[in-house]
Amino acid sequence: MSPVEAVGVVGAGAVGQAVTAALVTSGLPSRLLLASRTEEQAAALAADLDDMRQTVASPVRPSPCRVGDLVDCSAVVVAVRASFTNTRGRDIRMGGAAANAPVIRALGEVLRGYAGTVLVVTNPVDLMTRLLAETSGCARVYGVGSNLDTARYRLALARLLGVPPDAVRGHVIGEHGDAAVVCASATTVHGRPVEVPVQQIRGELRTRPGRISAGVGRTRSGPAGAVLSTLRKALGLDDGVEELSAPYGGGWLGVPLRFTAGRPVPCLPDLDPAEQDQFAAADAKLRAAYQAIRHP
Ligand SMILES: NC(=O)c1ccc[n+]([C@@H]2O[C@H](COP(=O)([O-])OP(=O)(O)OC[C@H]3O[C@@H](n4cnc5c(N)ncnc54)[C@H](O)[C@@H]3O)[C@@H](O)[C@H]2O)c1
């Protein structure tokens, strides 16, 4: 039997497809409800996933629905993207703010009063998460992105130092974007502090998504993994830490949250003075950017 009754996903694009395929193979929910911009998209994805369900004998039953039908789900994943052309060379994720904000605001209105967990993937994720939380009034809204940055950080540092990724403990927090903060001073390898080549790490975090998109169109599997890992913690199936966009110190940005039986508590590492300044700068940047999109 699946551990969760129902999970909903909004958005049948690259990320939505990867997330839902991962959910079918994971066997996490009994039912997988799919909504997208059109009913045809949701129905097509449900049919494709039904084929997958049959071939791998998954217990997960996919079906198309409208966003309003998601209220009974334990969790809803938001992976929508409005149609727009991003021409930015830097601060690329911010390029989606104006186009995605009305879509997220409308979703928030429909999800008003929803009591489950909402995971937002839509970029710029720190702004869109806060916007969805404030328009819906939902208490459990988290943005996925800093945990993906953290996974990429651990991979990159392990490769540079010639150690297994599991030996690396460290976080990337702040913005899921150009103001990401690499918590280098608190990073350990095999339990010991290390000299982190921060500029090389920053370069990798900046260029990796673009390389993936240039090769295969969109980043999707990494974000899907980050969503699945977060779902398990938020739904109380695993305990542990995820770096997520959440309210912190009056702002809203990526922080490590320690989940115990589904309940999150922020657990920031010690930051050196330079990292504290970067974290404050990320907070200030996101607060200012949020003011620009909060009203229609
Ligand atoms: N946070 C992260 O770590 C991370 C990683 C990768 C991508 N993303 C973001 O995730 C979002 C989705 O990316 P993608 O590559 O899947 O985009 P995509 O264009 O492939 O798919 C977007 C989907 O959203 C649907 N949609 C549009 N408007 C909608 C509406 N009003 N209601 C319901 N569905 C609607 C579209 O029909 C489409 O199916 C983007 O904002 C992207 O930047 C975030």
Side-chain angles (χ1 to χ4, degrees):
M1 205 178 95
S2 299
V4 175
E5 164 52 24
V7 169
V9 176
V10 189
V15 173
Q17 290 169 27
V19 166
T20 52
L23 283 167
V24 168
T25 51
S26 73
L28 185 89
S30 297
R31 292 190 302 134
L32 179 54
L33 303 188
L34 311 161
S36 197
R37 186 173 52 77
T38 67
E39 290 180 27
E40 288 75 16
Q41 284 176 349
L45 180 55
D48 197 29
L49 293 167
D50 223 7
D51 292 351
M52 181 186 222
R53 170 199 179 207
Q54 191 60 27
T55 52
V56 300
S58 165
V60 181
R61 287 174 284 119
S63 57
C65 73
R66 293 161 183 260
V67 177
D69 299 330
L70 298 174
V71 287
D72 293 332
C73 291
S74 303
V76 171
V77 179
V78 174
V80 301
R81 182 187 187 275
S83 184
F84 72 98
T85 304
N86 198 339
T87 53
R88 289 188 174 217
R90 51 185 295 277
D91 245 349
I92 291 169
R93 296 176 181 96
M94 279 291 178
N100 287 330
V103 178
I104 293 294
R105 203 178 284 116
L107 280 176
E109 300 289 349
V110 181
L111 289 174
R112 190 169 280 280
Y114 173 63
T117 296
V118 184
L119 300 189
V120 178
V121 188
T122 301
N123 277 318
V125 72
D126 303 286
L127 303 187
M128 295 302 117
T129 308
R130 180 173 181 180
L131 186 61
L132 196 135
E134 293 188 359
T135 47
S136 67
C138 297
R140 290 174 58 83
V141 183
Y142 309 105
V144 168
S146 291
N147 55 345
L148 178 57
D149 291 334
T150 296
R152 289 170 173 163
Y153 172 42
R154 291 176 180 168
L155 275 177
L157 188 59
R159 202 165 39 241
L160 286 167
L161 300 182
V163 299
D166 283 357
V168 179
R169 296 273 180 276
H171 306 278
V172 178
I173 60 175
E175 185 193 14
H176 176 55
D178 290 10
V181 181
V182 178
C183 302
S185 64
T187 295
T188 60
V189 171
H190 291 304
R192 294 194 197 89
V194 281
E195 202 62 46
V196 175
V198 177
Q199 289 316 318
Q200 269 174 282
I201 295 290
R202 281 191 187 290
E204 175 64 5
L205 289 179
R206 197 173 52 249
T207 56
R208 188 178 180 91
R211 286 202 311 275
I212 295 171
S213 295
V216 294
R218 290 278 164 83
T219 60
R220 64 195 85 203
S221 301
V227 166
L228 220 68
S229 174
T230 306
L231 274 176
R232 294 192 60 84
K233 299 202 176 65
L235 295 174
L237 303 171
D238 292 338
D239 288 345
V241 176
E242 293 285 338
E243 298 76 8
L244 300 172
S245 200
Y248 186 81
W252 199 291
L253 74 175
V255 290
L257 297 178
R258 180 173 298 285
F259 284 88
T260 308
R263 296 278 140 208
V265 176
C267 57
L268 255 77
D270 289 336
L271 303 177
D272 70 16
E275 292 160 359
Q276 283 174 22
D277 287 350
Q278 291 163 20
F279 190 65
D283 187 28
K285 173 185 174 182
L286 290 168
R287 285 179 197 241
Y290 188 69
Q291 292 312 316
I293 56 124
R294 77 184 296 187
H295 296 299

